[in-house]
Amino acid sequence: MPALDEPLKKTLGAPTAKVMAEHLDLHTVGDLLHHYPRRYAERGELTPLAELPLDEHVTVFAQVADARVLSFGGGSGKRLEVNITDGSGRLQLVFFGNGLHKPHKELLPGRRAMFAGKVSKFRQTFQLAHPAYELLDADTDAGSVAAWANQLIPLYPACKQLESWKISKAVDMVLPSAQEAVDPLTPALREGRGLITLPEALLKIHRPQTKADIATARDRLKWDEAFVLQVALARRRYADAQLPAVARKPTSDGLLDAFDAKLPFTLTEGQQKVTKEIFDDLATEHPMHRLLQGEVGSGKTMVALRAMLTVVDAGGQAAMLAPTEVLAQQHHRSITEMMGELAEGGMLGGSDAGTKVVLLTGSMGMPARRQALLDLVTGEAGLVIGTHALIEDKVQFHDLGLVVVDEQHRFGVEQRDALRGKGKQPPHLLVMTATPIPRTVAMTVFGDLETSVLDQLPAGRSPIATHVVPAKDKPHFLARAWERVREEVENGHQAYVVCPRIGDGDDEPKKKAKAAEETAFSEEGSKRPPLAVVEIAEQLAKGPLNGLRVEILHGRMQPDDKDDVMRRFAAGDVDVLVATTVIEVGVNVPNATAMVIMDADRFGVSQLHQLRGRVGRGSAPGLCLLVSEAHEASPARARLSAVAATLDGFELSRIDLEQRREGDVLGQAQSGVRSSLRMLAVIEDEEVIAAAREEAVAVVAADPDLERLPELRIALDALLDQEREQYLDKG
């Protein structure tokens, strides 16, 4: 067995190995060697006690200032209080009961030690209760104290059950194995980029002598992460390019031309450019894999529909997969409206050039469902729009040529894969998202998809003004917000009110709602409303929006009821729609001009941007009000201010990413396994990722199976444990 695959149990013993496996997900010697220090402390500059974060586990270096034993409970209990200092601040350590004998003997004034524990506050004093500690200057001569004082101390990502220095001791035990680490880079590639060897990098990251050691080790480990991931993606793209697909070339005088002739507007330059990229892909004999990203309202659906019509012209069928029934119904409605008689192929009054456009969702009645399935298997229906009901075994296609996936991040990879398996040969795939993805993330997460970007809004779209409403500091601002909604309605427009919860007993007792109700909307009432759809709608209808037609929409309503509310809202029979984020994706009501987002700080940056894109879709300007009780100086408020300051989704997605951990981007959300990125920061390391991608493409083109690069193959197998390999397969 290679040294790095050795289970930790053999080296560290069962108890330590068990904690590492359960709490840090470390199982082998290699896992532990790749568990890098989070930062390094220098013993010369102690961790500042002045900046301790409350409720977090910390490791500090400090000197004991004084210690005393105090009695409490009438003398029956004793506690040891030790004050430590590092020059910048003081911290109190407390030990109780039998636990105070050892520290009482050891923690004498002047002694220096490393302490670890959770920071708490007692009577305005920061303290660590029963911290673990390691004495640092016992029995050492002057020479070793000098060496000790100048050493860089690695601080590892730790957990309550295992402090940083215990992890450090465990690393000492496995570090000799680093010499046997297989280097995935060829000497030529390594030297070309001025990188050190992998064993050397592992040694320097864990036991650096200087800060320069840390920098060279990081450079090497970052490159490895970026490069191995990009090789995996390049191999996927290469394999996909070898698959056969039916070329679907545009034909003249067909459905597409008839559709274009009906269009009341011309396509934007961006739409024309992206359409050309897609049409070029469709005309090749291997499957298209393209990610189409564009701001809300940039006209992605139009581009996708024209690609679908091209495929129908070429004798195939096209399927559009939507994440929710509301959205599938809406796509179906807007596509049939745009196509008019072209969507009624084979029907009385339908066009000769036309085709059938069918809807397939889980809640359809049996007769309608049977007819839809029949239309698909006979090829009668050229276009189908549906939810994951499209993926069921019963659904058979005559000749599936293109799959369009709307809002990619809401679909499990398996679902997309199942739909792709419905074609006689792999169909072409177009993935659409309105969540702008920074270039580096597109290169890492969606690295096996070619990317097209629509960054122009079609003519006639209006600007959206966004303002933060600080409901707690300035309650009259909230009262004004409702007045603004009334004004919009009086001017013949409509409004959305978005809440984070559904309510009606979903998670909060009615009592709380009742108590808040009295003061919720009064001008001096500093208490905000309970932020749930059901209660807010009721209060608005009785209070500030009295007399307006207020309706609710949320995910737990019956599909027919949802559709009914949406239809009436779209028709202008509802003034204010109080909803959860079900409206986030794809709801298109050009007459809706105002949106009030309650408790806006509970939503992510990208989500707020998505929601805001629902207004200003017509010729009248849009207004979006972000209501929040978050404190003015809080990160939550900073996030809201960022959303209010720009309409540029790419800028916002960057902010979003900087605030979340990289792991969220590549980790669970994408593949169900932890992020493989430990060193690489997707936003900061754009150049490294771009260079790694170029290098990876060249390597794979020259040697697709990596036969001449067995070490790289091994590194790839380690990265792509089975789950991840499957994820990339299905991407």
Side-chain angles (χ1 to χ4, degrees), residues 468-472 498-500 528 531 597-605 607-608 611 625-631 634-641 643 659:
V468 179
V469 178
K472 202 164 197 165
V498 182
C499 305
R528 59 157 167 75
L531 305 183
I597 302 179
M598 307 302 291
D599 245 0
D601 47 278
R602 311 244 176 135
F603 299 98
V605 170
Q607 200 174 24
L608 289 170
L611 285 165
L625 301 174
L626 307 173
V627 179
S628 167
E629 289 205 344
H631 190 272
S634 65
R637 273 287 283 281
R639 252 194 355 251
L640 297 182
S641 300
V643 174
Q659 293 189 339

Side-chain angles (χ1 to χ4, degrees), residues 406-427:
D406 190 19
E407 283 307 321
Q408 119 80 22
H409 59 285
R410 305 191 163 222
F411 271 104
V413 169
E414 290 74 16
Q415 295 169 311
R416 274 190 321 211
D417 202 37
L419 190 57
R420 273 170 59 183
K422 298 264 182 200
K424 294 189 172 62
Q425 284 191 319

Side-chain angles (χ1 to χ4, degrees), residues 11-234:
T11 328
L12 306 178
T16 308
K18 185 168 187 261
V19 173
M20 285 197 170
E22 283 175 11
H23 297 280
L24 297 169
D25 199 13
L26 305 174
H27 306 273
T28 64
V29 167
D31 288 346
L32 182 53
L33 286 175
H34 288 293
H35 186 71
Y36 308 131
R38 179 175 282 142
R39 58 192 178 86
Y40 302 84
E42 293 173 74
R43 291 212 173 103
E45 47 175 348
L46 301 173
T47 309
L49 291 183
E51 295 162 28
L52 287 177
L54 196 59
D55 289 334
E56 282 193 25
H57 284 277
V58 296
T59 302
V60 297
F61 301 101
Q63 193 161 15
V64 176
D66 56 67
R68 57 190 182 144
V69 175
L70 302 169
S71 301
F72 61 91
S76 60
K78 286 193 175 358
R79 79 168 180 271
L80 169 66
E81 282 183 4
V82 180
N83 287 304
I84 59 173
T85 178
D86 66 353
S88 78
R90 292 170 75 87
L91 177 65
Q92 191 175 69
L93 316 176
V94 287
F95 301 88
F96 297 96
N98 294 334
L100 62 75
H101 301 306
K102 187 168 177 273
H104 191 205
K105 283 210 299 274
E106 294 180 340
L107 298 177
L108 306 171
R111 298 298 295 269
R112 290 166 63 154
M114 237 185 327
F115 302 92
K118 188 176 181 180
V119 183
S120 58
K121 207 172 193 180
F122 181 67
R123 292 187 182 149
Q124 301 308 304
T125 305
F126 277 122
Q127 57 173 230
L128 301 181
H130 284 280
Y133 64 89
E134 173 101 335
L135 294 172
L136 292 172
D137 52 357
D139 314 323
T140 46
D141 58 31
S144 51
V145 166
W148 170 85
N150 294 316
Q151 200 181 341
L152 288 161
I153 300 171
L155 295 180
Y156 289 89
C159 60
K160 195 163 105 191
Q161 295 77 2
L162 206 61
E163 296 88 6
S164 172
W165 62 76
K166 289 188 180 160
I167 295 173
S168 192
K169 283 186 169 167
V171 169
D172 283 336
M173 294 171 78
V174 300
L175 209 49
S177 305
Q179 292 306 328
E180 296 176 51
V182 177
D183 198 322
L185 303 188
T186 60
L189 176 56
R190 201 177 64 239
E191 286 152 21
R193 295 202 62 84
L195 299 168
I196 58 176
T197 65
L198 183 58
E200 196 183 341
L202 290 170
L203 206 61
K204 285 184 168 171
I205 200 79
H206 289 293
R207 299 294 173 260
Q209 298 301 306
T210 62
K211 287 184 177 170
D213 282 355
I214 300 170
T216 55
R218 277 196 170 139
D219 286 349
R220 167 63 212 251
L221 296 167
K222 264 183 188 180
W223 174 264
D224 277 18
E225 283 179 10
F227 180 64
V228 175
L229 183 61
Q230 290 302 337
V231 167
L233 293 164

Side-chain angles (χ1 to χ4, degrees), residues 32 70 92 95 112 153 193 220 242 306 310 336 348 355 383 402 404 426 556 558 563 628 668 680 727:
L32 182 53
L70 302 169
Q92 191 175 69
F95 301 88
R112 290 166 63 154
I153 300 171
R193 295 202 62 84
R220 167 63 212 251
Q242 311 309 307
R306 293 182 73 247
T310 302
T336 47
L348 213 59
T355 185
L383 302 185
L402 170 66
V404 178
R556 265 204 260 124
Q558 290 301 315
D563 202 35
S628 167
Q668 269 73 7
L680 201 64
Y727 154 62

